[in-house]
Amino acid sequence: MSPDGSGELDPSKIIEQYIAEQGITDSFARRIMAKIKTKLRIRKLSKKSVTRKTIKRDHADTHHRLVSDYYSEDPLYPERMFRTRFQMGRPLSLHIVSSLGRWSPCFTQRVDCSGRQGLSPLQKCTAAIRMLAYGSPTDSLDEYLKIGKSTSLQCLDMFARGVIEVFGPEFLRRPTCEDVERLLQVGESRGFPGMLGSIDCMHWRWEKCPTAWSGQFTRGDYGVPTIILEAVASYDLRIWHAFFGVVGSNNDINVLNQSPLFLDVLKGDAPQVKFSVNGNEYSTGYYLANGIYPEWAAFVKSIHLPQTEKHKLYAQYQEGARKDVECAFGVLQSRFNIVRRPARSWKRKSVGRIMKACVILHNMIVEDEREGVIIPIDLNENPGASIVLPPEVTTGDSPCFFDVLRRKTEIRARAPHSQLKKDLVEHIWQKFGSTCRI
């Protein structure tokens, strides 16, 4: 109020009160700004302390050392040690490197933006093969190959993709007429005319399985998340059929119901097999299987708890020949230790590519070393009991539905399964029973 008591506000006091309030506001704003600047300064200092350090790797020197150790005309390590560390011969390894170089620029010598030479194709392929063969962590390759962790993972994924696309059509194909004829000859010499191989499943533990999926990937007898591989292998441990990706909670029958094992047969694209056992004619080739598989004409199983001498001899030969696929699983795991150890990839497709690439490389090694292996074949008894015919010719892309149903019925027929087992019991007794009776 004014000094004369008129009730009017004094302008000087209003100005003084406004200045005081403004000073308080400015002081509060200054304190807030000081705190913000302090926090920004601390954050900037912390970022400077964790700045990524650039590692200057000498890629050229590493490439020359790798060539001098393994790939030169007079290498430091002999061929025996090369096969031990790479699980394959030197010519096959160079063939893979050159083929992948033609497939993708990733496996070629390139220069980065600063003009430095990048990793050579030998370094990238060696890193991928070492991870497959030893199952080693990615950062363990940096000391010798001078390759970073993220680059190693990228090379492994690209290597698996390249092997599948370049070599998959040849080394993961179905048997041709010549292949089937050779398989039938070997099967006949072992007492099983019409045998195309043996079938079984293998589980690969998935360590990085998402928690939300662990229930469907876990089976009670394993107790950990797994992914199933169904395979058909022959006497030389070559894998002719590989179906991978079914969740681990399934059994062998569930995998078979999802498998494309008989897809070519149903379409009429597979070679036709005709054979005779004990005087009876059959038109469906079969696989040796264990007891869980259904009693179809396409499977021949052992006899549980055999009592007679004939049944014991049959069970002995059937279970011995069926071990081919289990031996193939063992060799696959010994060659590529990454399959023996738990899969550490987060992505299901990446795990599938690694398994498929290992199977293809396994078949490539089998084919490369087949020339040095001699398989004894004795066809003096019942020569020519098996015949291979060309596939049925189909018109158009889609086969006749009636023919598909007919072939499916022939594959799943139970009566030929029982009769074939009885004939095989007699055939094996006639062929090998004399040696047991001596």
Side-chain angles (χ1 to χ4, degrees):
M1 297 179 65
S2 61
D4 56 2
S6 61
E8 296 181 358
L9 294 177
D10 189 357
S12 61
K13 291 185 176 182
I14 294 177
I15 294 175
E16 292 177 359
Q17 184 178 0
Y18 173 77
I19 293 174
E21 292 177 355
Q22 191 68 26
I24 295 174
T25 303
D26 294 341
S27 176
F28 180 75
R30 282 193 296 270
R31 289 197 300 269
I32 294 295
M33 290 300 298
K35 290 183 178 180
I36 292 175
K37 290 180 179 179
T38 303
K39 289 185 177 181
L40 291 176
R41 192 181 302 109
I42 294 174
R43 186 177 300 178
K44 186 180 296 184
L45 292 175
S46 63
K47 285 185 177 180
K48 289 183 179 180
S49 62
V50 295
T51 301
R52 180 180 176 182
K53 181 181 178 180
T54 302
I55 302 176
K56 296 183 179 180
R57 298 177 174 90
D58 193 348
H59 296 156
D61 181 69
T62 306
H63 170 74
H64 293 320
R65 185 172 66 251
L66 180 62
V67 172
S68 176
D69 290 345
Y70 295 104
Y71 293 99
S72 62
E73 296 182 358
D74 186 18
L76 176 63
Y77 300 104
E79 178 69 19
R80 178 180 55 84
M81 298 186 68
F82 186 96
R83 287 183 175 272
T84 301
R85 296 176 179 178
F86 289 80
Q87 300 299 322
M88 64 184 71
R90 186 180 293 109
L92 179 59
S93 174
L94 292 174
H95 173 63
I96 293 174
V97 174
S98 60
S99 299
L100 293 181
R102 293 189 296 268
W103 170 71
S104 172
C106 178
F107 294 97
T108 56
Q109 185 75 51
R110 293 181 293 179
V111 180
D112 60 11
C113 59
S114 62
R116 293 193 312 127
Q117 288 288 338
L119 294 166
S120 67
L122 284 179
Q123 290 174 270
K124 295 179 180 179
C125 291
T126 301
I129 293 175
R130 287 293 180 89
M131 283 188 284
L132 294 177
Y134 290 92
S136 56
T138 54
D139 53 358
S140 64
L141 305 172
D142 195 4
E143 293 181 350
Y144 180 73
L145 295 176
K146 304 303 180 185
I147 182 171
K149 178 180 179 180
S150 59
T151 309
S152 299
L153 291 175
Q154 183 182 4
C155 291
L156 177 62
D157 186 68
M158 290 298 297
F159 182 84
R161 292 173 183 266
V163 168
I164 293 172
E165 293 189 18
V166 176
F167 303 105
E170 180 181 357
F171 292 97
L172 204 57
R173 56 175 172 79
R174 292 302 179 90
T176 61
C177 292
E178 293 77 12
D179 298 327
V180 173
E181 186 175 359
R182 186 180 67 253
L183 294 176
L184 293 179
Q185 290 178 357
V186 176
E188 191 170 342
S189 66
R190 301 171 72 182
F192 291 93
M195 183 185 72
L196 298 175
S198 53
I199 183 173
D200 203 356
C201 292
M202 182 190 76
H203 289 250
W204 188 16
R205 181 184 172 186
W206 190 11
E207 183 179 355
K208 300 297 184 179
C209 175
T211 305
W213 294 0
S214 60
Q216 60 178 326
F217 281 85
T218 305
R219 208 169 74 179
D221 54 346
Y222 285 91
V224 291
T226 59
I227 306 178
I228 303 177
L229 168 68
E230 179 192 69
V232 171
S234 57
Y235 64 95
D236 56 355
L237 306 185
R238 193 191 195 281
I239 297 176
W240 294 100
H241 162 76
F243 176 60
F244 182 78
V246 180
V247 298
S249 60
N250 292 276
N251 57 22
D252 295 4
I253 300 180
N254 303 135
V255 178
L256 178 64
N257 292 332
Q258 305 176 49
S259 171
L261 175 62
F262 299 108
L263 183 60
D264 291 346
V265 180
L266 296 177
K267 295 167 59 178
D269 295 337
Q272 303 179 69
V273 177
K274 306 287 184 180
F275 63 97
S276 62
V277 183
N278 199 29
N280 295 322
E281 301 290 335
Y282 296 92
S283 60
T284 302
Y286 59 86
Y287 303 99
L288 300 184
N290 54 18
I292 193 175
Y293 282 86
E295 295 182 349
W296 293 354
F299 298 120
V300 169
K301 303 191 293 183
S302 180
I303 297 177
H304 182 62
L305 297 178
Q307 302 298 322
T308 64
E309 293 298 327
K310 289 184 178 180
H311 289 176
K312 290 181 180 179
L313 184 63
Y314 166 80
Q316 175 185 349
Y317 276 85
Q318 194 276 348
E319 293 171 5
R322 193 186 63 83
K323 296 296 182 181
D324 292 343
V325 64
E326 297 185 8
C327 292
F329 288 152
V331 172
L332 179 68
Q333 292 178 335
S334 64
R335 280 177 174 161
F336 304 104
N337 207 354
I338 192 173
V339 180
R340 185 188 298 273
R341 298 184 179 185
R344 295 191 294 265
S345 179
W346 292 96
K347 298 181 180 180
R348 184 177 176 183
K349 291 184 178 180
S350 299
V351 177
R353 283 194 293 267
I354 291 175
M355 173 60 78
K356 197 171 182 180
C358 290
V359 172
I360 294 172
L361 292 174
H362 167 81
N363 288 340
M364 294 177 68
I365 298 172
V366 170
E367 292 286 346
D368 184 56
E369 299 177 352
R370 175 178 291 176
E371 298 180 358
V373 179
I374 300 176
I375 304 297
I377 299 177
D378 184 11
L379 297 179
N380 292 328
E381 298 184 10
N382 297 329
S386 303
I387 302 175
V388 181
L389 300 177
E392 298 182 23
V393 179
T394 58
T395 57
D397 297 333
S398 301
C400 179
F401 185 67
F402 175 79
D403 294 336
V404 173
L405 292 181
R406 175 180 57 81
R407 299 185 189 107
K408 183 177 181 181
T409 304
E410 293 176 355
I411 292 173
R412 302 194 175 195
R414 296 175 62 91
H417 168 83
S418 303
Q419 184 62 40
L420 178 59
K421 181 184 289 188
K422 295 179 182 178
D423 291 336
L424 287 174
V425 170
E426 295 295 333
H427 175 75
I428 292 178
W429 180 256
Q430 294 174 7
K431 188 177 182 66
F432 305 105
S434 59
T435 59
C436 298
R437 291 191 291 265
I438 297 177

Coordinates of all heavy atoms in Angstrom, one line a residue, residues 55-105:
I55 N 43.0 -52.8 -33.7 CA 44.1 -53.8 -33.7 C 44.6 -53.9 -35.1 O 43.8 -54.3 -36.0 CB 43.6 -55.1 -33.2 CG1 43.0 -55.0 -31.7 CG2 44.7 -56.2 -33.2 CD1 42.4 -56.2 -31.2
K56 N 45.8 -53.6 -35.3 CA 46.4 -53.7 -36.7 C 47.0 -55.1 -36.9 O 48.1 -55.4 -36.4 CB 47.5 -52.6 -36.8 CG 46.9 -51.2 -36.8 CD 48.0 -50.2 -37.0 CE 47.5 -48.8 -37.0 NZ 48.5 -47.7 -37.2
R57 N 46.2 -55.9 -37.6 CA 46.7 -57.3 -37.9 C 47.4 -57.3 -39.2 O 46.9 -56.8 -40.2 CB 45.5 -58.3 -37.9 CG 44.7 -58.3 -36.6 CD 43.5 -59.3 -36.7 NE 42.9 -59.5 -35.4 CZ 41.9 -58.7 -34.9 NH1 41.5 -57.6 -35.7 NH2 41.3 -58.9 -33.8
D58 N 48.5 -58.1 -39.3 CA 49.3 -58.2 -40.5 C 48.8 -59.4 -41.3 O 49.2 -60.5 -41.1 CB 50.8 -58.4 -40.1 CG 51.7 -58.2 -41.4 OD1 51.1 -58.2 -42.5 OD2 52.9 -58.1 -41.2
H59 N 47.8 -59.1 -42.1 CA 47.1 -60.2 -42.9 C 48.1 -60.8 -43.9 O 48.0 -62.0 -44.2 CB 45.9 -59.6 -43.6 CG 44.8 -59.2 -42.6 ND1 43.9 -58.3 -42.9 CD2 44.6 -59.5 -41.3 CE1 43.1 -58.1 -41.9 NE2 43.5 -58.8 -40.9
A60 N 48.9 -60.0 -44.6 CA 49.8 -60.5 -45.6 C 50.8 -61.5 -45.0 O 51.1 -62.5 -45.5 CB 50.5 -59.3 -46.3
D61 N 51.4 -61.1 -43.9 CA 52.4 -62.0 -43.2 C 51.7 -63.3 -42.8 O 52.3 -64.4 -42.9 CB 53.1 -61.2 -42.1 CG 54.1 -62.1 -41.4 OD1 55.2 -62.3 -42.0 OD2 53.9 -62.5 -40.2
T62 N 50.5 -63.2 -42.3 CA 49.8 -64.4 -41.8 C 49.5 -65.3 -43.0 O 49.6 -66.5 -42.9 CB 48.5 -64.0 -41.1 OG1 48.8 -63.0 -40.0 CG2 47.8 -65.2 -40.5
H63 N 49.2 -64.7 -44.1 CA 48.9 -65.6 -45.3 C 50.1 -66.3 -45.8 O 50.1 -67.5 -46.1 CB 48.3 -64.7 -46.4 CG 48.3 -65.4 -47.7 ND1 47.3 -66.3 -48.0 CD2 49.0 -65.3 -48.9 CE1 47.5 -66.8 -49.3 NE2 48.5 -66.1 -49.8
H64 N 51.3 -65.6 -45.8 CA 52.5 -66.2 -46.2 C 52.9 -67.3 -45.2 O 53.4 -68.4 -45.7 CB 53.6 -65.2 -46.3 CG 53.4 -64.2 -47.4 ND1 52.9 -64.5 -48.6 CD2 53.6 -62.8 -47.5 CE1 52.8 -63.4 -49.4 NE2 53.2 -62.4 -48.7
R65 N 52.7 -67.1 -43.9 CA 53.1 -68.1 -43.0 C 52.2 -69.4 -43.1 O 52.6 -70.5 -43.0 CB 52.9 -67.6 -41.6 CG 53.4 -68.6 -40.5 CD 53.5 -68.0 -39.1 NE 52.2 -67.6 -38.6 CZ 51.8 -66.3 -38.5 NH1 52.6 -65.3 -38.8 NH2 50.6 -66.0 -38.0
L66 N 50.9 -69.1 -43.4 CA 49.9 -70.2 -43.6 C 50.3 -71.0 -44.8 O 50.3 -72.3 -44.8 CB 48.5 -69.7 -43.8 CG 47.4 -70.7 -44.0 CD1 47.3 -71.7 -42.8 CD2 46.1 -70.0 -44.2
V67 N 50.7 -70.4 -45.9 CA 51.1 -71.1 -47.1 C 52.4 -71.8 -46.9 O 52.5 -73.0 -47.3 CB 51.3 -70.1 -48.3 CG1 51.9 -70.7 -49.5 CG2 50.0 -69.4 -48.7
S68 N 53.3 -71.2 -46.2 CA 54.6 -71.9 -45.9 C 54.4 -73.1 -45.0 O 55.1 -74.1 -45.1 CB 55.6 -70.9 -45.2 OG 56.8 -71.6 -44.8
D69 N 53.4 -73.1 -44.1 CA 53.2 -74.2 -43.1 C 52.5 -75.4 -43.8 O 52.8 -76.5 -43.5 CB 52.4 -73.7 -41.9 CG 53.2 -72.8 -41.0 OD1 54.5 -72.7 -41.2 OD2 52.7 -72.1 -40.2
Y70 N 51.5 -75.1 -44.7 CA 50.6 -76.1 -45.2 C 50.5 -76.2 -46.7 O 50.3 -77.3 -47.2 CB 49.2 -75.9 -44.6 CG 49.2 -76.1 -43.1 CD1 49.1 -75.0 -42.3 CD2 49.2 -77.3 -42.5 CE1 49.0 -75.1 -40.9 CE2 49.1 -77.5 -41.1 CZ 49.0 -76.3 -40.3 OH 49.0 -76.5 -39.0
Y71 N 50.6 -75.2 -47.4 CA 50.3 -75.2 -48.9 C 51.4 -75.0 -49.8 O 51.2 -74.9 -51.0 CB 49.2 -74.1 -49.1 CG 47.9 -74.4 -48.4 CD1 47.5 -73.8 -47.2 CD2 46.9 -75.3 -49.0 CE1 46.3 -74.0 -46.6 CE2 45.7 -75.5 -48.4 CZ 45.4 -74.9 -47.2 OH 44.2 -75.2 -46.6
S72 N 52.6 -74.9 -49.4 CA 53.7 -74.7 -50.3 C 54.2 -76.1 -50.9 O 53.7 -77.1 -50.5 CB 54.9 -74.0 -49.6 OG 55.4 -74.8 -48.5
E73 N 55.1 -76.0 -51.8 CA 55.6 -77.3 -52.4 C 56.3 -78.1 -51.4 O 56.3 -79.3 -51.4 CB 56.5 -76.9 -53.6 CG 55.8 -76.3 -54.8 CD 56.7 -76.0 -55.9 OE1 57.9 -76.3 -55.8 OE2 56.2 -75.5 -56.9
D74 N 57.0 -77.5 -50.5 CA 57.7 -78.2 -49.4 C 57.2 -77.6 -48.1 O 57.9 -76.8 -47.4 CB 59.2 -78.0 -49.5 CG 60.0 -78.8 -48.5 OD1 59.4 -79.8 -48.0 OD2 61.2 -78.5 -48.3
P75 N 56.0 -78.0 -47.6 CA 55.4 -77.3 -46.4 C 56.2 -77.8 -45.2 O 56.8 -78.8 -45.1 CB 54.0 -77.8 -46.4 CG 54.0 -79.1 -47.2 CD 55.1 -79.0 -48.2
L76 N 56.0 -77.0 -44.1 CA 56.6 -77.3 -42.8 C 55.9 -78.6 -42.2 O 56.6 -79.4 -41.7 CB 56.4 -76.1 -41.9 CG 56.9 -76.4 -40.4 CD1 58.4 -76.6 -40.4 CD2 56.5 -75.2 -39.6
Y77 N 54.6 -78.7 -42.3 CA 53.9 -79.8 -41.8 C 53.6 -80.8 -42.9 O 53.1 -80.4 -44.0 CB 52.6 -79.4 -41.1 CG 52.9 -78.4 -39.9 CD1 52.7 -77.1 -40.1 CD2 53.4 -78.9 -38.7 CE1 52.9 -76.2 -39.1 CE2 53.6 -78.0 -37.7 CZ 53.4 -76.7 -37.9 OH 53.6 -75.8 -36.8
P78 N 53.8 -82.1 -42.7 CA 53.6 -83.1 -43.8 C 52.1 -83.3 -44.0 O 51.2 -82.8 -43.3 CB 54.3 -84.4 -43.3 CG 54.3 -84.2 -41.8 CD 54.4 -82.7 -41.5
E79 N 51.8 -84.2 -45.0 CA 50.4 -84.5 -45.4 C 49.6 -85.1 -44.3 O 48.5 -84.9 -44.1 CB 50.4 -85.4 -46.6 CG 49.0 -85.8 -47.1 CD 48.2 -84.6 -47.7 OE1 48.9 -83.6 -48.1 OE2 47.0 -84.8 -47.8
R80 N 50.3 -86.0 -43.5 CA 49.6 -86.6 -42.4 C 49.1 -85.6 -41.4 O 48.0 -85.7 -40.9 CB 50.6 -87.6 -41.7 CG 50.0 -88.3 -40.5 CD 51.1 -89.3 -39.9 NE 52.3 -88.6 -39.6 CZ 52.5 -87.9 -38.4 NH1 51.5 -87.8 -37.5 NH2 53.6 -87.3 -38.2
M81 N 49.9 -84.6 -41.0 CA 49.5 -83.6 -40.1 C 48.4 -82.7 -40.7 O 47.5 -82.2 -40.0 CB 50.7 -82.8 -39.6 CG 51.7 -83.7 -38.8 SD 53.0 -82.7 -38.1 CE 52.1 -81.8 -36.8
F82 N 48.5 -82.5 -42.0 CA 47.5 -81.7 -42.7 C 46.1 -82.4 -42.5 O 45.1 -81.7 -42.2 CB 47.9 -81.5 -44.1 CG 46.9 -80.5 -44.8 CD1 47.2 -79.2 -45.0 CD2 45.7 -81.0 -45.4 CE1 46.4 -78.3 -45.7 CE2 44.9 -80.2 -46.1 CZ 45.2 -78.8 -46.2
R83 N 46.1 -83.7 -42.8 CA 44.8 -84.4 -42.7 C 44.3 -84.4 -41.3 O 43.1 -84.4 -41.0 CB 45.0 -85.9 -43.2 CG 45.2 -86.0 -44.7 CD 45.3 -87.4 -45.1 NE 45.3 -87.6 -46.6 CZ 44.2 -87.7 -47.3 NH1 43.0 -87.7 -46.8 NH2 44.3 -87.8 -48.6
T84 N 45.2 -84.5 -40.3 CA 44.8 -84.5 -38.9 C 44.1 -83.1 -38.5 O 43.1 -83.1 -37.8 CB 46.0 -84.8 -38.0 OG1 46.5 -86.0 -38.3 CG2 45.5 -84.8 -36.5
R85 N 44.7 -82.0 -39.0 CA 44.2 -80.7 -38.6 C 43.1 -80.2 -39.5 O 42.3 -79.4 -39.0 CB 45.4 -79.7 -38.6 CG 46.4 -80.1 -37.6 CD 47.6 -79.2 -37.6 NE 48.6 -79.6 -36.6 CZ 49.8 -79.0 -36.4 NH1 50.2 -78.0 -37.2 NH2 50.6 -79.4 -35.5
F86 N 43.0 -80.6 -40.7 CA 42.0 -80.1 -41.6 C 40.9 -81.2 -41.9 O 40.0 -80.9 -42.6 CB 42.6 -79.7 -42.9 CG 43.3 -78.4 -42.8 CD1 44.6 -78.3 -42.3 CD2 42.7 -77.2 -43.2 CE1 45.3 -77.1 -42.2 CE2 43.4 -76.0 -43.1 CZ 44.7 -76.0 -42.6
Q87 N 41.2 -82.4 -41.5 CA 40.2 -83.6 -41.7 C 40.0 -83.9 -43.1 O 39.0 -84.5 -43.5 CB 38.9 -83.3 -41.0 CG 39.0 -83.1 -39.5 CD 39.5 -84.3 -38.8 OE1 39.2 -85.4 -39.1 NE2 40.3 -84.0 -37.8
M88 N 40.9 -83.5 -44.0 CA 40.8 -83.8 -45.4 C 42.2 -83.6 -46.1 O 43.1 -83.1 -45.4 CB 39.8 -82.8 -46.1 CG 40.2 -81.4 -46.1 SD 39.0 -80.3 -46.8 CE 37.7 -80.4 -45.5
G89 N 42.4 -84.1 -47.3 CA 43.6 -83.9 -48.0 C 43.8 -82.5 -48.5 O 42.9 -81.7 -48.7
R90 N 45.1 -82.2 -48.8 CA 45.4 -80.8 -49.3 C 44.7 -80.6 -50.7 O 44.2 -79.4 -50.9 CB 46.9 -80.7 -49.4 CG 47.4 -79.3 -49.8 CD 48.9 -79.2 -49.9 NE 49.5 -79.3 -48.6 CZ 50.2 -80.4 -48.2 NH1 50.4 -81.4 -49.1 NH2 50.7 -80.5 -47.0
P91 N 44.7 -81.5 -51.7 CA 44.1 -81.2 -52.9 C 42.6 -80.9 -52.7 O 42.0 -79.9 -53.4 CB 44.3 -82.4 -53.8 CG 45.5 -83.0 -53.2 CD 45.4 -82.8 -51.7
L92 N 41.9 -81.6 -51.9 CA 40.5 -81.3 -51.7 C 40.3 -80.0 -51.0 O 39.3 -79.3 -51.3 CB 39.9 -82.5 -50.8 CG 38.4 -82.3 -50.4 CD1 37.5 -82.3 -51.7 CD2 37.9 -83.5 -49.5
S93 N 41.1 -79.6 -50.1 CA 41.0 -78.3 -49.4 C 41.2 -77.2 -50.4 O 40.4 -76.2 -50.4 CB 42.1 -78.2 -48.3 OG 42.1 -76.9 -47.7
L94 N 42.2 -77.3 -51.3 CA 42.4 -76.3 -52.3 C 41.2 -76.2 -53.3 O 40.9 -75.1 -53.8 CB 43.7 -76.5 -53.1 CG 45.0 -76.4 -52.3 CD1 46.2 -76.8 -53.1 CD2 45.1 -74.9 -51.8
H95 N 40.6 -77.4 -53.6 CA 39.5 -77.4 -54.5 C 38.3 -76.6 -53.9 O 37.6 -75.9 -54.6 CB 39.1 -78.8 -54.8 CG 37.8 -79.0 -55.6 ND1 37.6 -78.5 -56.8 CD2 36.6 -79.6 -55.2 CE1 36.4 -78.8 -57.3 NE2 35.8 -79.4 -56.3
I96 N 38.1 -76.8 -52.6 CA 37.0 -76.1 -51.9 C 37.3 -74.6 -51.9 O 36.4 -73.8 -52.2 CB 36.9 -76.6 -50.5 CG1 36.4 -78.1 -50.5 CG2 35.9 -75.7 -49.7 CD1 36.4 -78.7 -49.1
V97 N 38.5 -74.2 -51.6 CA 38.8 -72.7 -51.6 C 38.6 -72.1 -53.0 O 38.0 -71.0 -53.1 CB 40.3 -72.6 -51.1 CG1 40.7 -71.1 -51.3 CG2 40.4 -73.0 -49.7
S98 N 39.1 -72.8 -54.0 CA 38.9 -72.2 -55.4 C 37.5 -72.2 -55.8 O 37.0 -71.2 -56.4 CB 39.7 -73.0 -56.4 OG 39.3 -74.4 -56.4
S99 N 36.7 -73.2 -55.4 CA 35.3 -73.2 -55.8 C 34.5 -72.1 -55.1 O 33.6 -71.5 -55.7 CB 34.7 -74.6 -55.5 OG 35.3 -75.6 -56.3
L100 N 34.8 -71.9 -53.8 CA 34.1 -70.9 -53.1 C 34.5 -69.5 -53.6 O 33.7 -68.5 -53.5 CB 34.4 -71.0 -51.6 CG 33.8 -72.2 -50.9 CD1 34.2 -72.2 -49.4 CD2 32.3 -72.3 -51.1
G101 N 35.8 -69.3 -54.0 CA 36.2 -68.1 -54.6 C 35.4 -67.7 -55.9 O 35.1 -66.5 -56.1
R102 N 35.1 -68.7 -56.7 CA 34.2 -68.5 -57.8 C 32.8 -68.2 -57.5 O 32.0 -67.6 -58.2 CB 34.3 -69.6 -58.8 CG 35.7 -69.8 -59.5 CD 35.7 -70.8 -60.6 NE 35.4 -72.1 -60.1 CZ 36.3 -73.0 -59.7 NH1 37.6 -72.7 -59.7 NH2 35.9 -74.2 -59.2
W103 N 32.4 -68.7 -56.3 CA 31.0 -68.6 -55.9 C 30.7 -67.2 -55.3 O 29.6 -66.7 -55.6 CB 30.7 -69.7 -54.9 CG 29.3 -69.5 -54.2 CD1 28.1 -69.7 -54.7 CD2 29.1 -69.1 -52.8 NE1 27.1 -69.4 -53.8 CE2 27.7 -69.0 -52.6 CE3 30.0 -68.7 -51.8 CZ2 27.2 -68.7 -51.4 CZ3 29.4 -68.3 -50.6 CH2 28.0 -68.3 -50.4
S104 N 31.6 -66.7 -54.6 CA 31.3 -65.4 -53.9 C 32.5 -64.5 -53.8 O 33.6 -65.1 -53.5 CB 30.7 -65.7 -52.5 OG 30.5 -64.5 -51.7
P105 N 32.4 -63.2 -53.9 CA 33.5 -62.3 -53.7 C 34.1 -62.3 -52.3 O 35.2 -61.9 -52.0 CB 33.0 -60.9 -54.1 CG 31.8 -61.2 -54.9 CD 31.2 -62.5 -54.4

